[in-house]
Amino acid sequence: MFKGVPTLANLNLRFLKGNSRIALLLPRGKATATSLDLEDANANPNNTPNTNKINVDVYSEEDLLKRAKFGHTGKQVQQKISSEKKLRTPPLLNLVFANRKLSFYDTSSGPKPCEENAKLNQRRNYSIRPHREQEQRNAEDVLFDMFASEETGLISMGKFLAGLKTTGIRRTDPRVRELMDNLKKVHKLNNYETGSSAETQHLNRETFKAVVSPNIVLIAKAFRQQFVIPDFSSFTKDIEEIYANCKANTSGKLADYIPQLARYSPNLWGVSVCTVDGQRFSIGDVDEPFTLQSCSKPLTYAIALEKLGPKVVHSFVGQEPSGRNFNELVLDQNKKPHNPMINAGAILTCSLMNALVKPDMTSAEIFDYTMSWFKRLSGGEYISFNNAVFLSEREAADRNYALGFYMRENKCFPKRTNLKEVMDYYFQCCSMETNCEAMSVIAASLANGGICPTTEEKVFRPEVIRDVLSIMHSCGTYDYSGQFAFKVGLPAKTGVSGGMMLVIPNVMGIFAWSPPLDTLGNTVRGLQFCDELVSRFNFHRYDNLKHLSNKKDPRKHRYETKGLSIVNLLFSAASGDVTALRRHRLSGMDITLADYDGRTALHLAASEGHLECVKFLLEQCHVPHNPKDRWGNLPVDEAENFCHSDVVEYLKSWAEKSKDAPQECFPEAVTTTTEADEELPTNTTTSVSHSGNTSPIPSESGFRSPSPLSSEAESTASVASVDKTKPGL
Ligand code: GLU
């Protein structure tokens, strides 16, 4: 009878027969019967409970990978594995479930070797319940065990923080402030034993738990890879590559309408990334200060929207791309500036701030007020003001003044607008100083519906952000906006100082900065960066997330997907479902995949006595006939153990003939069918090119199947050829 862990209640563990031990690689939070379409464990009325204890190691694949990565597989684990190998029964069930290591008791009739039980073909079901003590292990303990040294029993905080960094969480993240403060306190209590750095301390379990516990929710999420980009370090490798490609691009010219912009080195190039979960990555000149310029436009527009609502704001300014230069002396047919991203529209937005949002504030107060919004959006990172740029902007502003007067003539401004103050305010917004780091957090706040990912402060309402992003999408890159929307398909805003604020809604914000501009005023390297980004990742708004396979989706969990595939494959083999196996094969899946214990589809098909599956796997999929699981068992051993004499005979004969079969004389192309293939439509034939020998065992239909000795590469090639000719499959 099932007790505890309800999501596993319906798990049909029938392929845990005999000495099988299987790692079910279930995704976090998805270990439900529904999601995996598993059968009901209680379907077998003959279940008779016993009290044999089964140790159940519950790992996530990430956990295992991390253990490997951080060198903590440990002697104990090795010893455990070898002792299990000796015992072989009862089966040790290895479930990936929420990163927790649990023990379960077998409450069913346990698996028995062939001689002891003639009815071994019957499916066996297990009910499981968690071992209470182990279940109570909390996240802090798990983390400690993951990182602690077996020799000293202490955890190196340096290693721990480095591990945290690979997930994208920095030591300076406000969400781990308590942890860092606690570390300093412990350092002080220990009389600064480790010298000047609190981060190089080695802590025991209790101290570690006390230090991390205030921030454990975030930390556990990080190590469970539950952020929007689960494999952050591999994502950042791509960013590094794209960064390097763009660095080589030396085209473009610096803006020179004011001396401060003309003085920048054209080699400056920085990229900062911040995800909606606050995962950070930066490369290049990311601390170099520059002025916001036009990148301030979406931000002041957002404040106006937040305070006045879209109705009021858009009674003064349009939403259409102008199709004209960013500072063109032109209004739309309603005598309004075209949109808030061009100069006329941004000056108009400034007038709304001045006359409607804060009519009672002095210019100085509005400046502070605006800066405080920018700061909140950036999670308190570097936002300052460059007075030299401000003064230069004001000096070189004939066109902007012309725009102001032209709009005043056309009665564009709200009543009580003081044009001089408005113009100064506009120049001040353009002259706010920042860097890539801070701007990536601002971009991430926009990606995150107005909530700053690092401080978790709700700065803007989501509706405001939706409007801002819509306008950025259609009007954010000057006269290139149409092409940018087409090619990159993401909201962005560029500025004349070389900034490119890119928003991937619900995923991340990226800020790329490099001063050389193209003829339309966009940063050359920034544009190339965006192009390369969307050609690698399926970030374009209209990329199909399901079917487009030539791009990476960093939102998905690499190993989670792989783990699920293995589970599906093994379940298909264990249940004798040849149709499902064929589907896996036609979708290009590697049929030789094994679970954590090295058990393959062939092991499971053999142990369950599914001769058709065994034939299909060998004859059609060309899987090796002799893979060993972690106990050294071959598929034929499994078949023998469970008295499947037909399978034993077939496998032995295959092995025998494989041994004898010559390597040459393999036909150029073989059209193969087996009984298993009879379900395929008549026009579905698998054309396979091989250079090995023919099958030692002719299939029942009389066709000669490819050699079991054919290489994996050939087998992959055959699958690829099927895929090409049968895209619908
Ligand atoms: N301060 C510049 C102007 O108003 C901003 C231009 C820009 O970044 O597009 O002319």
Side-chain angles (χ1 to χ4, degrees):
M1 178 58 75
F2 170 78
K3 288 176 195 165
V5 196
T7 52
L8 295 174
N10 293 333
L11 189 62
N12 182 346
L13 300 173
R14 63 190 152 83
F15 60 96
L16 291 173
K17 283 167 76 163
N19 49 29
S20 60
R21 178 183 192 280
I22 188 157
L24 285 183
L25 303 174
L26 303 182
R28 286 164 284 104
K30 285 187 184 164
T32 63
T34 355
S35 69
L36 286 174
D37 209 10
L38 304 176
E39 292 173 37
D40 186 353
N42 299 319
N44 180 359
N46 300 327
N47 250 359
T48 46
N50 73 27
T51 52
N52 289 340
K53 182 182 176 186
I54 307 173
N55 291 316
V56 181
D57 291 340
V58 181
Y59 294 125
S60 75
E61 194 159 336
E62 304 96 279
D63 190 4
L64 297 170
L65 284 168
K66 281 210 195 77
R67 279 164 179 265
K69 189 164 176 182
F70 298 112
H72 195 63
T73 45
K75 278 179 222 147
Q76 286 172 347
V77 176
Q78 294 306 331
Q79 279 163 5
K80 199 172 172 206
I81 289 169
S82 41
S83 62
E84 281 159 14
K85 190 173 169 177
K86 275 177 223 144
L87 289 173
R88 289 171 58 92
T89 54
L92 191 123
L93 171 62
N94 200 18
L95 292 174
V96 176
F97 188 65
N99 270 24
R100 295 158 73 202
K101 184 177 176 182
L102 304 178
S103 291
F104 292 100
Y105 292 94
D106 174 11
T107 55
S108 75
S109 53
K112 296 183 179 65
C114 185
E115 312 81 64
E116 291 170 42
N117 189 348
K119 291 186 178 176
L120 272 171
N121 284 335
Q122 266 186 351
R123 293 174 177 179
R124 290 173 204 290
N125 299 299
Y126 293 82
S127 298
I128 47 185
R129 70 181 166 85
H131 188 284
R132 293 262 153 72
E133 285 163 37
Q134 291 281 3
E135 195 189 20
Q136 280 163 9
R137 286 163 49 80
N138 56 27
E140 290 97 324
D141 281 310
V142 175
L143 281 172
F144 185 84
D145 292 339
M146 242 163 99
F147 287 96
S149 149
E150 276 170 20
E151 283 81 44
T152 62
L154 300 175
I155 187 168
S156 152
M157 288 310 288
K159 270 191 192 162
F160 174 77
L161 292 172
L164 193 60
K165 194 172 170 220
T166 64
T167 71
I169 301 300
R170 293 179 177 169
R171 293 155 208 230
T172 50
D173 192 308
R175 295 168 300 170
V176 293
R177 186 173 295 141
E178 289 83 357
L179 182 162
M180 299 309 293
D181 287 349
N182 286 345
L183 259 186
K184 283 181 201 144
K185 282 178 200 158
V186 172
H187 195 216
K188 193 174 171 190
L189 280 172
N190 288 337
N191 290 324
Y192 306 103
E193 262 172 14
T194 53
S196 60
S197 170
E199 293 163 22
T200 53
Q201 296 176 94
H202 289 71
L203 307 182
N204 64 23
R205 185 182 292 268
E206 287 320 307
T207 315
F208 171 78
K209 285 168 72 172
V211 164
V212 299
S213 77
N215 305 124
I216 193 62
V217 174
L218 178 84
I219 295 169
K221 204 174 166 190
F223 282 111
R224 285 175 181 155
Q225 301 200 335
Q226 288 170 339
F227 289 146
V228 65
I229 306 294
D231 188 358
F232 195 63
S233 47
S234 95
F235 174 73
T236 58
K237 283 201 183 74
D238 277 288
I239 299 293
E240 278 172 1
E241 280 174 28
I242 302 175
Y243 174 87
N245 296 345
C246 302
K247 196 180 172 94
N249 186 344
T250 53
S251 54
K253 275 189 170 170
L254 298 173
D256 56 4
Y257 71 95
I258 55 171
Q260 288 76 14
L261 292 182
R263 281 202 291 263
Y264 273 112
S265 159
N267 299 326
L268 289 166
W269 172 222
V271 172
S272 289
V273 175
C274 177
T275 72
V276 293
D277 285 316
Q279 296 165 279
R280 309 284 299 271
F281 175 75
S282 281
I283 182 166
D285 304 305
V286 292
D287 296 317
E288 201 70 32
F290 53 83
T291 46
L292 270 176
Q293 298 292 351
S294 273
C295 291
S296 65
K297 289 172 180 158
L299 310 183
T300 39
Y301 171 55
I303 305 172
L305 279 178
E306 177 75 26
K307 290 290 157 192
L308 304 172
K311 254 193 172 167
V312 175
V313 172
H314 286 291
S315 63
F316 290 94
V317 57
Q319 291 129 318
E320 288 296 328
S322 70
R324 311 286 279 269
N325 230 343
F326 71 102
N327 59 1
E328 190 101 2
L329 205 59
V330 65
L331 296 174
D332 68 14
Q333 54 188 4
N334 302 312
K335 297 283 178 224
K336 292 196 277 192
H338 283 84
N339 66 68
M341 300 298 124
I342 54 171
N343 283 17
I347 293 170
L348 196 290
T349 309
C350 287
S351 77
L352 300 182
M353 295 286 294
N354 193 280
L356 300 184
V357 176
K358 291 292 171 195
D360 301 329
M361 279 189 176
T362 63
S363 300
E365 284 168 338
I366 292 192
F367 172 82
D368 279 345
Y369 176 75
T370 308
M371 203 169 196
S372 76
W373 279 94
F374 291 6
K375 266 222 179 276
R376 287 164 66 207
L377 269 184
S378 74
E381 302 214 2
Y382 181 70
I383 302 286
S384 186
F385 179 70
N386 187 321
N387 195 43
V389 170
F390 166 70
L391 295 172
S392 294
E393 287 286 341
R394 202 162 57 170
E395 281 301 301
D398 289 351
R399 174 56 67 102
N400 285 326
Y401 280 120
L403 281 171
F405 286 119
Y406 183 53
M407 286 194 285
R408 189 162 75 177
E409 184 195 6
N410 283 283
K411 310 217 174 334
C412 298
F413 293 120
K415 285 181 196 142
R416 296 188 302 273
T417 293
N418 178 332
L419 185 57
K420 187 183 170 303
E421 280 180 15
V422 167
M423 295 308 294
D424 273 359
Y425 176 51
Y426 169 75
F427 301 134
Q428 285 159 9
C429 290
C430 289
S431 307
M432 298 273 194
E433 195 172 77
T434 184
N435 59 26
C436 279
E437 292 276 20
M439 287 307 289
S440 68
V441 183
I442 291 187
S445 298
L446 300 188
N448 199 29
I451 298 172
C452 176
T454 57
T455 58
E456 290 163 354
E457 182 188 354
K458 185 175 174 180
V459 184
F460 289 117
R461 285 175 291 121
E463 307 88 272
V464 166
I465 298 303
R466 187 199 54 211
D467 293 348
V468 172
L469 296 182
S470 304
I471 299 278
M472 282 170 68
H473 187 93
S474 56
C475 312
T477 49
Y478 303 115
D479 247 8
Y480 186 72
S481 300
Q483 281 190 70
F484 191 85
F486 180 81
K487 278 187 170 179
V488 179
L490 290 171
K493 186 69 197 90
T494 46
V496 80
S497 54
M500 156 76 76
M501 176 164 65
L502 184 73
V503 178
I504 305 162
N506 304 305
V507 181
M508 66 179 72
I510 299 181
F511 201 87
W513 175 67
S514 180
L517 309 176
D518 65 11
T519 49
L520 294 172
N522 292 307
T523 163
V524 172
R525 291 193 182 104
L527 278 188
Q528 184 184 342
F529 180 89
C530 295
D531 279 345
E532 291 201 22
L533 185 80
V534 295
S535 61
R536 278 185 198 220
F537 299 107
N538 58 359
F539 286 156
H540 188 295
R541 205 75 192 119
Y542 303 114
D543 272 339
N544 189 296
L545 299 184
K546 256 190 181 169
H547 305 298
L548 206 74
S549 56
N550 61 341
K551 292 188 186 184
K552 297 183 193 175
D553 187 351
R555 286 160 278 209
K556 278 206 180 129
H557 205 296
R558 204 156 36 119
Y559 300 106
E560 185 174 280
T561 317
K562 190 175 171 192
L564 257 186
S565 309
I566 298 170
V567 170
N568 283 334
L569 174 69
L570 298 193
F571 265 87
S572 306
S575 60
D577 189 344
V578 179
T579 311
L581 286 180
R582 184 183 304 115
R583 205 170 50 239
H584 294 316
R585 187 198 168 200
L586 291 178
S587 65
M589 187 172 177
D590 179 1
I591 306 294
T592 62
L593 284 174
D595 69 15
Y596 178 60
D597 291 322
R599 288 169 57 80
T600 63
L602 193 61
H603 280 98
L604 291 162
S607 74
E608 291 287 347
H610 298 306
L611 183 59
E612 273 315 301
C613 281
V614 170
K615 280 184 179 178
F616 179 78
L617 290 167
L618 289 169
E619 296 176 19
Q620 298 295 307
C621 306
H622 326 305
V623 299
H625 66 92
N626 53 1
K628 284 185 182 169
D629 67 14
R630 73 191 293 181
W631 300 277
N633 286 331
L634 302 172
V636 70
D637 301 330
E638 294 287 319
E640 239 163 15
N641 242 352
F642 294 101
C643 309
H644 302 304
S645 51
D646 50 347
V647 177
V648 173
E649 201 181 309
Y650 179 84
L651 283 170
K652 281 191 172 164
S653 160
W654 184 281
E656 198 52 42
K657 294 192 180 172
S658 303
K659 220 182 340 173
D660 300 341
Q663 297 292 309
E664 315 76 37
C665 312
F666 198 76
E668 273 295 291
V670 185
T671 303
T672 58
T673 66
T674 63
E675 259 174 45
D677 270 343
E678 276 161 22
E679 290 166 51
L680 279 173
T682 46
N683 63 347
T684 310
T685 51
T686 309
S687 187
V688 189
S689 278
H690 291 275
S691 55
N693 60 346
T694 53
S695 165
I697 305 173
S699 70
E700 284 175 32
S701 59
F703 285 101
R704 305 183 88 182
S705 57
S707 164
L709 301 176
S710 61
S711 71
E712 209 178 90
E714 286 161 348
S715 140
T716 315
S718 75
V719 172
S721 85
V722 171
D723 276 346
K724 261 187 206 159
T725 52
K726 298 275 168 215
L729 294 170

